[in-house]
């Protein structure tokens, strides 16, 4: 796990700015404090030179000279290392291929590198290290662009092939690892984080539609290839990018096979067995590491299944890390955490940030995130810091299970809509009765309305309705008009949402995975962990498991009152029964809405809302915001989430968008 950066100048007249490359790499120092490295490439001379940096390990400094201030090169690569596999200097990057024709900077883990290395050895390749990085280089030389289809893992890398004169860049299937770039038709810059690119180029034009979209639907902080900066793009999940002297091209190499959705004819027993095999094999591969592997533990089913399973694979007690808040029952999962701790051989570490500690972390974490934060990020940030303090460099986490196994409440509305559209009224009635059992009367009508809407509206139209009506409008008319003018029409605001010829539930889950939810969660996962030089691994996003889940019938995923039904069945004898039967698990978060904003942090919030900076920002509908704040203070919780979004966005303006880039030291 590392941080990568690079600068490619396609103009034959200009050398790259080495000082800018050094700044880019310094901006992401937190991603890897174990080592630093560079490679400068002069294509006219067919020359690739490796260099060390001030943070390089002693063996690396003995191997390579220090990066010079000037050098006639048209391509440069920078690297920050977090040593996880092959801890010696043999794992140093940028890494050259065995024949010296290729060089790579790579962030991530190829979990099946052992099996691939054996296959490549049988094809004549030789290896000088035990690193997965060297396996990628050999795989490229053997299979070219097709090599990525053989990888099981998470990755973002840039590989220069001197013989082919091409820069090949790739991002993993689901976007677990980040890759940002800037391209102006003669310069190509890339980096693991946006701040690295901002350290090298002036690029401060706001993408108004991205800001508007994300503040209305905070799950869309990541959307297509766009970022909040117009000149900076994100390489989308499942895509390769190639730069040659001709220019830049992007190709999609991976997509789920939509034609196979819900087509499995396996019995529930056979499907459960297959699910369990895939989950445990994913976990087995992701336990590969030359350093200790720990795990996040929220108290819910997904992380508990990981911890209980990993404990059986580990030769020593697994270290687990959790947050809790005693003032909010929904955010205090200690009783469930203790159920797991008493079941298997793990050591439990807990953290409970105070309101003001969380506020300070909100400021710090916003810088690391490059984007406005969600409420749960301060908890995630504190958990990752706790792991770092306890010497853990790798954590397992449960992201992705809700998206592939229907863990969100809105999945029920699509599922019921499918039953209604198929004329299965008796089954609908029976399952709805079980779903609503024990729920209060005032929640039944909204759920029925949402089910009806899901039956008659496309997925894109449903999100458009949420965009328009779910939260109050906090941005002023001038700002919204500007956003619409630059994007031609309001129809294009949500055009990335897929409308598929599948069942409503499958369509919903597919969009969660590819457009509306997972990208943002993975962005947070990466930034909050790497802020503390911790690698986060997500076993549920092994593509083999994801693909299998989408082939299953909807009723294997939802059996009211249970969501994620097949997952529960598969891990029933692995986790405590009380956890596999839980139906009350809430979201992972922090008590901003239930307590902090109106009590402990009220002054902090009002210092922002009443400040001249906020009022002169020129984007906020000030009367609407202030009315919402007053209503929230007297008990209107419906305004709370948007108010947090406003505060979070204003913190982002102050800490990230407007200041000159700098390296955060705190």
């Amino acid at each position: 796990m590392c941080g990568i950066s690079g600068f490619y100048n396609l103009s034959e007249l200009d050398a790259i700015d080495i000082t800018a490359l050094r700044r880019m790499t310094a901006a992401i120092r937190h991603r890897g404090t174990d080592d630093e490295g560079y490679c400068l490439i002069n294509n006219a001379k067919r020359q690739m030179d490796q260099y060390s940096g001030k943070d390089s390990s002693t063996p690396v400094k003995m191997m390579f000279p220090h990066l010079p201030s000037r050098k006639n090169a048209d391509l440069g690569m920078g690297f920050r290392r977090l040593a996880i596999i092959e801890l010696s200097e043999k794992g140093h990057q940028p890494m050259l291929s065995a024949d010296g024709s290729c060089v790579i900077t790579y962030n991530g883990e190829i979990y099946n590198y052992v099996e691939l290395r054996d296959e490549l050895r049988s094809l004549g390749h030789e290896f000088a290290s035990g690193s997965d990085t060297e396996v990628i280089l050999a795989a490229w030389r053997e299979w070219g662009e097709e090599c990525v289809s053989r990888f099981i893992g998470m990755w973002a890398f840039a590989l220069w092939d001197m013989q082919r004169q091409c820069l090949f860049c790739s991002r993993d299937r689901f976007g677990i690892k980040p890759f940002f770039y800037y391209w102006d038709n003669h310069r190509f810059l890339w980096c693991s984080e946006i701040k690295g690119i901002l350290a090298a180029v002036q690029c401060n034009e706001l993408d108004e539609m991205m800001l508007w979209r994300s503040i209305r639907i905070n799950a869309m902080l990541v959307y297509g290839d766009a970022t909040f900066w117009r000149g900076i793009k994100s390489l989308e999940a499942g895509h390769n990018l190639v730069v040659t002297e001709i220019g830049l091209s992007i190709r999609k190499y991976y997509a789920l096979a939509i034609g196979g959705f819900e087509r499995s004819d396996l019995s529930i027993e056979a499907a459960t067995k297959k699910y369990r095999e895939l989950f445990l094999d994913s976990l087995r591969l992701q336990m590969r590491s030359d350093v200790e592997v720990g795990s996040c533990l929220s108290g819910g089913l997904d992380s508990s299944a990981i911890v209980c399973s990993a404990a059986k694979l580990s030769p020593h007690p697994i270290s687990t890390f959790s947050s809790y808040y005693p003032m909010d029952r929904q955010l205090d999962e200690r009783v469930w955490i203790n159920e797991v701790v008493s079941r298997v051989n793990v050591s439990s570490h807990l953290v409970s940030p105070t309101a003001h500690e969380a506020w300070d972390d909100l400021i710090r974490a916003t810088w690391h995130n490059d984007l406005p934060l969600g409420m749960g990020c301060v908890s995630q940030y504190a958990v990752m810091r706790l792991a770092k303090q306890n010497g853990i460099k790798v954590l397992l986490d449960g992201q992705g299970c809700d998206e592939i196994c229907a863990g969100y409440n809105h999945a029920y509305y699509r599922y019921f809509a499918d039953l209604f559209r198929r004329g299965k009224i008796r089954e609908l009635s029976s399952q709805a009765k079980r779903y609503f059992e024990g729920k209060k009367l005032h929640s039944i009508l909204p759920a029925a309305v949402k089910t009806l809407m899901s039956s008659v509206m496309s997925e894109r139209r449903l999100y458009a309705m949420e965009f328009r009506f779910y939260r109050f409008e906090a941005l002023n008319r001038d700002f919204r008009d500007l956003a619409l003018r630059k994007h031609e029409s309001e129809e294009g605001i949500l055009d990335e949402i897929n409308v598929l010829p599948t069942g409503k539930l499958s369509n919903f889950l597919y969009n969660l995975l590819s457009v509306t939810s997972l990208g943002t969660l993975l962005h947070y996962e990466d930034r909050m962990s790497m802020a503390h030089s911790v690698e986060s691994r997500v076993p549920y996003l092994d593509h083999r498991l994801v693909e299998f889940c989408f082939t299953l019938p909807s009723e294997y995923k939802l059996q009211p009152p249970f969501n994620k039904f097949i997952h529960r069945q598969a891990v029933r004898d692995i986790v405590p029964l009380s956890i596999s039967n839980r139906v009350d698990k809430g979201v992972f978060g922090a008590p901003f809405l239930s307590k902090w904003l109106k009590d402990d942090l009220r002054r902090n919030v009002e210092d922002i809302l009443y400040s001249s900076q906020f009022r002169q920002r020129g984007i906020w509908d000030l009367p609407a915001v202030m009315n919402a704040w007053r209503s929230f203070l007297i008990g209107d919780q419906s305004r709370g989430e948007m108010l947090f979004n406003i505060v979070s966005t204003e913190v982002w303006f102050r800490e990230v968008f407007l200041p000159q880039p700098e390296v955060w030291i705190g």
Side-chain angles (χ1 to χ4, degrees):
M1 183 61 63
C2 309
I4 63 174
S5 61
F7 198 132
Y8 182 19
N9 195 336
L10 276 70
S11 171
E12 297 180 359
L13 302 177
D14 300 321
I16 64 167
D17 185 341
I18 296 175
T19 302
L21 177 62
R22 185 183 283 112
R23 287 198 307 269
M24 292 173 70
T25 310
I28 56 171
R29 181 182 184 276
H30 50 276
R31 295 186 70 90
T33 55
D34 294 331
D35 193 12
E36 178 182 6
Y38 300 91
C39 184
L40 299 179
I41 299 159
N42 185 313
N43 284 302
K45 296 181 179 180
R46 299 277 167 150
Q47 183 177 342
M48 294 193 289
D49 298 310
Q50 291 176 278
Y51 299 93
S52 63
K54 65 182 181 67
D55 287 339
S56 293
S57 63
T58 299
V60 168
K61 287 180 178 178
M62 295 175 65
M63 293 167 60
F64 305 115
H66 191 76
L67 180 70
S69 299
R70 291 187 176 183
K71 180 80 174 181
N72 189 15
D74 45 14
L75 196 155
M77 294 180 170
F79 180 73
R80 297 296 321 197
R81 185 181 188 202
L82 182 64
I84 303 295
I85 292 176
E86 178 59 88
L87 305 184
S88 76
E89 67 276 8
K90 292 181 179 180
H92 174 77
Q93 295 185 44
M95 182 181 287
L96 269 63
S97 60
D99 66 352
S101 66
C102 301
V103 61
I104 188 174
T105 52
Y106 152 61
N107 168 30
E109 302 289 355
I110 305 303
Y111 301 122
N112 64 330
Y113 75 101
V114 175
E115 292 79 6
L116 287 173
R117 186 173 57 202
D118 290 343
E119 181 180 0
L120 288 161
R121 276 194 177 123
S122 71
L123 295 171
H125 294 267
E126 297 181 354
F127 296 89
S129 75
S131 74
D132 56 336
T133 311
E134 194 176 10
V135 171
I136 296 176
L137 284 165
W140 164 261
R141 290 172 57 213
E142 182 66 35
W143 299 306
E145 287 192 39
E146 294 300 315
C147 68
V148 296
S149 66
R150 296 172 177 261
F151 298 158
I152 299 173
M154 55 182 183
W155 67 85
F157 65 77
L159 185 156
W160 174 254
D161 189 316
M162 183 69 81
Q163 294 177 348
R164 305 186 196 189
Q165 287 289 288
C166 79
L167 182 70
F168 175 66
C169 307
S170 182
R171 191 176 182 199
D172 63 70
R173 295 174 179 86
F174 303 116
I176 304 168
K177 291 293 99 189
F179 189 102
F180 295 97
Y181 67 93
Y182 170 90
W183 167 247
D184 64 4
N185 293 317
H186 66 89
R187 286 182 304 169
F188 179 74
L189 286 76
W190 73 91
C191 195
S192 296
E193 298 183 13
I194 292 171
K195 64 178 63 65
I197 295 176
L198 294 174
V201 296
Q202 290 292 323
C203 186
N204 58 359
E205 185 181 357
L206 177 69
D207 187 323
E208 294 88 357
M209 188 60 78
M210 272 298 294
L211 189 147
W212 189 18
R213 185 189 294 113
S214 69
I215 204 170
R216 295 288 290 177
I217 305 178
N218 25 356
M220 291 193 183
L221 203 69
V222 172
Y223 186 81
D225 69 350
T227 74
F228 281 40
W229 290 262
R230 284 189 174 276
I232 299 175
K233 299 295 184 184
S234 172
L235 180 60
E236 292 187 72
H239 283 69
N240 294 332
L241 181 153
V242 178
V243 184
T244 66
E245 61 180 7
I246 299 174
L248 180 150
S249 61
I250 297 176
R251 307 159 194 173
K252 188 171 185 176
Y253 71 85
Y254 180 78
L256 290 171
I258 296 169
F261 285 9
E262 302 179 44
R263 296 298 179 90
S264 174
D265 58 2
L266 291 176
S267 67
I268 184 63
E269 293 79 16
T272 298
K273 180 181 178 182
K274 179 68 172 178
Y275 179 98
R276 179 170 170 148
E277 290 172 352
L278 289 170
F279 167 64
L280 292 178
D281 191 57
S282 172
L283 194 59
R284 177 186 64 83
L285 290 178
Q286 298 201 25
M287 292 288 286
R288 285 177 171 171
S289 171
D290 292 335
V291 299
E292 184 179 345
V293 177
S295 184
C296 298
L297 178 58
S298 70
L301 177 64
D302 306 340
S303 63
S304 297
I306 288 173
V307 170
C308 292
S309 301
K312 297 179 180 179
L313 298 172
S314 176
H316 52 75
I318 290 283
S319 294
T320 66
F321 301 90
S322 316
S323 65
Y324 72 95
Y325 300 94
M327 76 289 291
D328 188 330
R329 288 184 59 190
Q330 291 187 323
L331 298 174
D332 187 353
E333 297 278 285
R334 282 177 294 176
V335 63
W336 306 106
I337 291 167
N338 290 336
E339 288 266 355
V340 173
V341 172
S342 62
R343 170 74 173 255
V344 292
N345 188 21
V346 302
S347 62
S348 175
H349 304 269
L350 302 170
V351 63
S352 183
T354 67
H356 292 288
E357 287 171 344
W359 183 264
D360 291 342
D361 284 349
L362 176 68
I363 306 301
R364 295 187 184 94
T366 297
W367 184 89
H368 280 289
N369 198 54
D370 286 328
L371 297 171
L373 288 181
M375 281 180 279
C377 288
V378 294
S379 301
Q380 203 171 20
Y381 188 83
V383 165
M384 300 299 178
R385 178 172 54 213
L386 184 64
K388 174 67 176 293
Q389 291 168 348
N390 282 272
I392 301 298
K393 297 173 75 171
V394 179
L395 284 181
L396 304 169
D397 208 350
Q399 299 288 10
C401 190
D402 287 325
E403 284 76 13
I404 66 174
C405 291
Y408 294 112
N409 199 48
H410 279 69
Y412 279 110
Y413 310 142
R414 274 72 171 187
Y415 176 56
F416 292 154
D418 280 336
L419 294 177
F420 178 74
R421 286 160 60 90
R422 293 169 185 165
K424 297 184 176 181
I425 306 303
R426 181 176 297 177
E427 187 175 349
L428 170 60
S429 176
S430 172
Q431 298 217 28
K433 182 179 179 181
R434 292 200 299 271
Y435 172 73
F436 287 116
E437 187 174 359
K439 290 183 170 60
K440 295 180 180 179
L441 186 61
H442 65 77
S443 68
I444 296 178
L445 181 59
V449 170
K450 290 174 183 177
T451 296
L452 181 60
M453 291 172 63
S454 299
S455 301
V456 299
M457 292 183 179
S458 70
E459 196 65 21
R460 187 178 298 155
R461 182 61 182 155
L462 288 169
Y463 274 96
M465 294 286 285
E466 179 178 349
F467 184 88
R468 278 180 177 269
F469 301 116
Y470 184 58
R471 299 184 179 95
F472 76 88
E473 183 57 77
L475 297 165
N476 64 37
R477 171 57 65 184
D478 289 343
F479 182 88
R480 303 196 314 267
D481 287 347
L482 178 63
L484 288 172
R485 282 200 302 274
K486 290 188 175 180
H487 287 76
E488 297 181 357
S489 77
E490 195 169 344
E491 294 300 317
I493 291 176
L494 298 170
D495 56 3
E496 291 282 334
I497 303 292
N498 296 278
V499 180
L500 305 179
T502 66
K504 293 287 186 175
L505 178 62
S506 291
N507 198 167
F508 174 64
L509 297 180
Y510 182 85
N511 278 294
L512 290 179
L513 194 77
S514 60
V515 182
T516 66
S517 170
L518 187 65
T520 297
L521 294 175
L522 291 175
H523 181 95
Y524 291 149
E525 185 84 24
D526 175 82
R527 298 311 185 280
M528 298 305 100
S529 61
M530 294 308 296
H532 303 291
S533 299
V534 172
E535 172 179 294
S536 180
R537 299 180 175 182
V538 283
Y540 294 109
L541 291 179
D542 184 309
H543 71 279
R544 300 169 300 168
L545 181 60
V546 174
E547 291 168 359
F548 175 71
C549 286
F550 272 90
T551 68
L552 298 176
S554 295
E555 57 267 25
Y556 287 13
K557 299 169 187 175
L558 293 175
Q559 288 284 322
F562 297 118
N563 58 11
K564 296 186 286 193
F565 183 71
I566 190 167
H567 178 53
R568 293 173 188 271
Q569 294 296 104
V571 301
R572 180 167 290 273
D573 63 346
I574 296 175
V575 303
L577 187 61
S578 58
I579 289 178
S580 66
N581 285 337
R582 278 192 75 184
V583 294
D584 63 340
K585 179 69 173 78
V587 297
F588 178 79
F592 281 103
L593 302 189
S594 61
K595 180 171 172 54
W596 287 348
L597 291 188
K598 62 181 64 174
D599 294 327
D600 308 70
L601 298 179
R602 176 172 175 173
R603 181 172 178 178
N604 302 69
V605 173
E606 291 184 341
D607 282 348
I608 286 178
L609 298 184
Y610 293 120
S611 69
S612 58
Q613 282 178 280
F614 183 79
R615 291 171 177 273
Q616 294 170 15
R617 183 74 60 205
I619 70 171
W620 303 113
D621 185 333
L622 297 175
V625 172
M626 298 315 299
N627 285 337
W629 176 242
R630 287 189 289 268
S631 297
F632 176 72
L633 290 177
I634 62 174
D636 185 358
Q637 288 290 109
S638 68
R639 310 295 183 96
E641 194 168 4
M642 177 58 85
L643 285 165
F644 180 86
N645 292 350
I646 294 165
V647 171
S648 177
T649 302
E650 184 63 21
V651 169
W652 171 78
F653 269 115
R654 299 180 185 193
E655 298 297 323
V656 177
F657 188 73
L658 296 180
Q660 291 298 312
E662 60 184 57
V663 179
W664 182 269
I665 303 298

